[in-house]
PDB file of all heavy atoms in Angstrom:
ATOM      1  N   VAL A  24      11.983   8.331   2.655  1.00 42.00           N
ATOM      2  CA  VAL A  24      10.932   9.028   1.862  1.00 42.00           C
ATOM      3  C   VAL A  24      11.514   9.422   0.499  1.00 42.00           C
ATOM      4  O   VAL A  24      12.573  10.056   0.433  1.00 42.00           O
ATOM      5  CB  VAL A  24      10.426  10.279   2.604  1.00 42.00           C
ATOM      6  CG1 VAL A  24       9.393  10.986   1.761  1.00 42.00           C
ATOM      7  CG2 VAL A  24       9.854   9.904   3.962  1.00 42.00           C
ATOM      8  N   HIS A  35       3.754  26.263 -25.661  1.00 55.00           N
ATOM      9  CA  HIS A  35       4.166  27.100 -26.800  1.00 55.00           C
ATOM     10  C   HIS A  35       3.024  28.031 -27.200  1.00 55.00           C
ATOM     11  O   HIS A  35       1.871  27.614 -27.259  1.00 55.00           O
ATOM     12  CB  HIS A  35       4.558  26.209 -27.997  1.00 55.00           C
ATOM     13  CG  HIS A  35       5.347  26.947 -29.010  1.00 55.00           C
ATOM     14  ND1 HIS A  35       4.758  27.721 -29.962  1.00 55.00           N
ATOM     15  CD2 HIS A  35       6.695  27.033 -29.196  1.00 55.00           C
ATOM     16  CE1 HIS A  35       5.685  28.251 -30.723  1.00 55.00           C
ATOM     17  NE2 HIS A  35       6.876  27.852 -30.282  1.00 55.00           N
ATOM     18  N   VAL A 227     -51.592  55.568 -85.343  1.00 97.00           N
ATOM     19  CA  VAL A 227     -50.245  55.368 -85.884  1.00 97.00           C
ATOM     20  C   VAL A 227     -50.196  54.121 -86.751  1.00 97.00           C
ATOM     21  O   VAL A 227     -50.735  53.071 -86.387  1.00 97.00           O
ATOM     22  CB  VAL A 227     -49.228  55.259 -84.732  1.00 97.00           C
ATOM     23  CG1 VAL A 227     -47.826  54.991 -85.280  1.00 97.00           C
ATOM     24  CG2 VAL A 227     -49.228  56.532 -83.890  1.00 97.00           C
ATOM     25  N   PHE A 267     -30.439  48.217-105.132  1.00 96.00           N
ATOM     26  CA  PHE A 267     -29.003  48.123-104.846  1.00 96.00           C
ATOM     27  C   PHE A 267     -28.628  46.694-104.464  1.00 96.00           C
ATOM     28  O   PHE A 267     -29.414  45.984-103.825  1.00 96.00           O
ATOM     29  CB  PHE A 267     -28.611  49.059-103.691  1.00 96.00           C
ATOM     30  CG  PHE A 267     -28.951  50.500-103.922  1.00 96.00           C
ATOM     31  CD1 PHE A 267     -30.041  51.076-103.281  1.00 96.00           C
ATOM     32  CD2 PHE A 267     -28.192  51.284-104.764  1.00 96.00           C
ATOM     33  CE1 PHE A 267     -30.366  52.399-103.477  1.00 96.00           C
ATOM     34  CE2 PHE A 267     -28.509  52.615-104.969  1.00 96.00           C
ATOM     35  CZ  PHE A 267     -29.600  53.177-104.325  1.00 96.00           C
ATOM     36  N   GLN A 299     -36.219  47.285 -80.346  1.00 95.00           N
ATOM     37  CA  GLN A 299     -37.654  47.190 -80.060  1.00 95.00           C
ATOM     38  C   GLN A 299     -38.132  48.551 -79.564  1.00 95.00           C
ATOM     39  O   GLN A 299     -37.660  49.059 -78.547  1.00 95.00           O
ATOM     40  CB  GLN A 299     -37.935  46.130 -78.992  1.00 95.00           C
ATOM     41  CG  GLN A 299     -39.414  46.023 -78.609  1.00 95.00           C
ATOM     42  CD  GLN A 299     -39.630  45.170 -77.363  1.00 95.00           C
ATOM     43  OE1 GLN A 299     -38.813  45.159 -76.454  1.00 95.00           O
ATOM     44  NE2 GLN A 299     -40.737  44.447 -77.334  1.00 95.00           N
ATOM     45  N   LYS A 340     -12.956  49.187 -87.913  1.00 94.00           N
ATOM     46  CA  LYS A 340     -13.931  48.107 -87.702  1.00 94.00           C
ATOM     47  C   LYS A 340     -14.323  47.416 -89.007  1.00 94.00           C
ATOM     48  O   LYS A 340     -15.244  46.601 -89.023  1.00 94.00           O
ATOM     49  CB  LYS A 340     -15.175  48.669 -87.019  1.00 94.00           C
ATOM     50  CG  LYS A 340     -14.907  49.193 -85.619  1.00 94.00           C
ATOM     51  CD  LYS A 340     -16.172  49.764 -84.993  1.00 94.00           C
ATOM     52  CE  LYS A 340     -15.910  50.292 -83.587  1.00 94.00           C
ATOM     53  NZ  LYS A 340     -17.139  50.862 -82.975  1.00 94.00           N
ATOM     54  N   HIS A 341     -13.658  47.780 -90.110  1.00 94.00           N
ATOM     55  CA  HIS A 341     -13.873  47.151 -91.417  1.00 94.00           C
ATOM     56  C   HIS A 341     -15.322  47.314 -91.898  1.00 94.00           C
ATOM     57  O   HIS A 341     -15.881  46.412 -92.533  1.00 94.00           O
ATOM     58  CB  HIS A 341     -13.498  45.664 -91.375  1.00 94.00           C
ATOM     59  CG  HIS A 341     -12.106  45.414 -90.873  1.00 94.00           C
ATOM     60  ND1 HIS A 341     -10.987  45.711 -91.606  1.00 94.00           N
ATOM     61  CD2 HIS A 341     -11.666  44.904 -89.688  1.00 94.00           C
ATOM     62  CE1 HIS A 341      -9.898  45.391 -90.912  1.00 94.00           C
ATOM     63  NE2 HIS A 341     -10.287  44.907 -89.743  1.00 94.00           N
ATOM     64  N   ILE A 378     -34.774  57.801 -85.564  1.00 98.00           N
ATOM     65  CA  ILE A 378     -34.919  59.126 -86.174  1.00 98.00           C
ATOM     66  C   ILE A 378     -36.364  59.572 -85.988  1.00 98.00           C
ATOM     67  O   ILE A 378     -37.290  58.897 -86.437  1.00 98.00           O
ATOM     68  CB  ILE A 378     -34.560  59.108 -87.669  1.00 98.00           C
ATOM     69  CG1 ILE A 378     -33.128  58.612 -87.877  1.00 98.00           C
ATOM     70  CG2 ILE A 378     -34.745  60.492 -88.285  1.00 98.00           C
ATOM     71  CD1 ILE A 378     -32.738  58.451 -89.339  1.00 98.00           C
ATOM     72  N   PHE A 400     -21.181  58.288-101.456  1.00 96.00           N
ATOM     73  CA  PHE A 400     -19.987  57.853-100.737  1.00 96.00           C
ATOM     74  C   PHE A 400     -20.248  56.502-100.057  1.00 96.00           C
ATOM     75  O   PHE A 400     -20.716  55.578-100.704  1.00 96.00           O
ATOM     76  CB  PHE A 400     -19.561  58.929 -99.737  1.00 96.00           C
ATOM     77  CG  PHE A 400     -19.198  60.239-100.391  1.00 96.00           C
ATOM     78  CD1 PHE A 400     -20.018  61.350-100.254  1.00 96.00           C
ATOM     79  CD2 PHE A 400     -18.050  60.356-101.154  1.00 96.00           C
ATOM     80  CE1 PHE A 400     -19.689  62.558-100.853  1.00 96.00           C
ATOM     81  CE2 PHE A 400     -17.714  61.563-101.765  1.00 96.00           C
ATOM     82  CZ  PHE A 400     -18.535  62.661-101.612  1.00 96.00           C
ATOM     83  N   ARG A 416     -27.564  73.721 -92.473  1.00 93.00           N
ATOM     84  CA  ARG A 416     -27.901  74.507 -91.273  1.00 93.00           C
ATOM     85  C   ARG A 416     -29.413  74.619 -91.081  1.00 93.00           C
ATOM     86  O   ARG A 416     -29.981  75.698 -90.884  1.00 93.00           O
ATOM     87  CB  ARG A 416     -27.253  75.897 -91.335  1.00 93.00           C
ATOM     88  CG  ARG A 416     -25.740  75.833 -91.310  1.00 93.00           C
ATOM     89  CD  ARG A 416     -25.073  77.174 -91.152  1.00 93.00           C
ATOM     90  NE  ARG A 416     -23.637  77.024 -91.031  1.00 93.00           N
ATOM     91  CZ  ARG A 416     -22.979  76.816 -89.886  1.00 93.00           C
ATOM     92  NH1 ARG A 416     -23.662  76.741 -88.762  1.00 93.00           N
ATOM     93  NH2 ARG A 416     -21.670  76.684 -89.874  1.00 93.00           N
TER      94      ARG A 416
END
Side-chain angles (χ1 to χ4, degrees):
V24 178
H35 197 277
V227 178
F267 303 104
Q299 178 191 34
K340 295 179 180 179
H341 306 288
I378 302 175
F400 298 109
R416 296 189 175 273

